């Protein structure tokens, strides 16, 4: 996984370009689940109004691409579960940022948006799933 997937770390082709979007700045990469990058891109950076319009469709597209590229045994419900779990996990990132001395200007809006996503997606219920 990229580990810092957001639009500032993405080259988007010009209109009429033949290549797709490309991520750069791979210094935070690690082995993990793709849903974590999705949670960071969508739930951390988008307010609920935009997420409610785009999130499900983008997750559907992501899942369709997984299937098209040979992933088996991973249904859309499993992706949704992993995404919700990744959203819940993202709440810890901003605690780390604050504790590292980064000013609130850097992390506060992301902190607010991720907690809205946790509420909207019912992620706290995952804590009780035991």
């Amino acid at each position: 996984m990229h580990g810092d997937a957001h639009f500032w770390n993405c080259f988007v082709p010009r209109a009429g370009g033949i290549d797709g979007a490309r991520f750069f700045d791979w210094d935070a990469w690690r082995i993990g689940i793709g849903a974590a990058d999705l949670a960071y891109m969508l739930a951390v950076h988008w307010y609920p109004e935009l997420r409610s319009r785009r999130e499900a469709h983008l997750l559907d597209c992501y899942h369709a691409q997984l299937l098209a590229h040979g992933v088996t045994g991973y249904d859309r419900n499993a992706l949704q579960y992993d995404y919700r779990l990744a959203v819940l996990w993202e709440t810890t990132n901003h605690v780390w940022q604050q504790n590292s001395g980064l000013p609130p200007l850097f992390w506060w809006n992301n902190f607010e948006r991720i907690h809205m996503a946790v509420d909207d997606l019912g992620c706290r219920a995952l804590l009780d799933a035991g």
Side-chain angles (χ1 to χ4, degrees):
M1 60 183 270
H2 186 278
D4 193 19
H6 54 76
F7 73 91
W8 296 288
N9 284 339
C10 187
F11 289 123
V12 178
R14 294 177 187 228
I18 58 172
D19 291 331
R22 300 284 190 251
F23 281 105
F24 62 94
D25 187 11
W26 285 86
D27 68 326
W29 79 271
R30 58 193 177 277
I31 295 175
I33 59 170
D37 278 342
L38 296 172
Y40 188 69
M41 284 190 294
L42 308 177
V44 170
H45 291 99
W46 289 357
Y47 282 101
E49 301 79 34
L50 179 57
R51 248 186 336 92
S52 69
R53 291 193 314 266
R54 305 268 195 252
E55 183 177 57
H57 174 70
L58 291 174
L59 290 172
D60 289 343
C61 290
Y62 180 82
H63 187 257
Q65 286 298 305
L66 291 175
L67 298 179
H69 287 86
V71 172
T72 60
Y74 189 69
D75 65 20
R76 180 60 175 81
N77 288 332
L79 172 61
Q80 188 68 31
Y81 179 87
D82 287 348
Y83 179 73
R84 289 174 61 221
L85 194 59
V87 167
L88 187 59
W89 184 250
E90 276 298 327
T91 62
T92 65
N93 189 37
H94 306 97
V95 174
W96 171 82
Q97 289 174 333
Q98 191 280 331
N99 198 39
S100 297
L102 294 171
L105 178 64
F106 181 78
W107 53 263
W108 183 259
N109 289 333
N110 294 342
F111 180 77
E112 180 181 38
R113 287 186 293 258
I114 197 62
H115 282 276
M116 287 187 232
V118 165
D119 290 342
D120 295 343
L121 297 168
C123 296
R124 287 183 183 89
L126 298 173
L127 296 172
D128 296 330

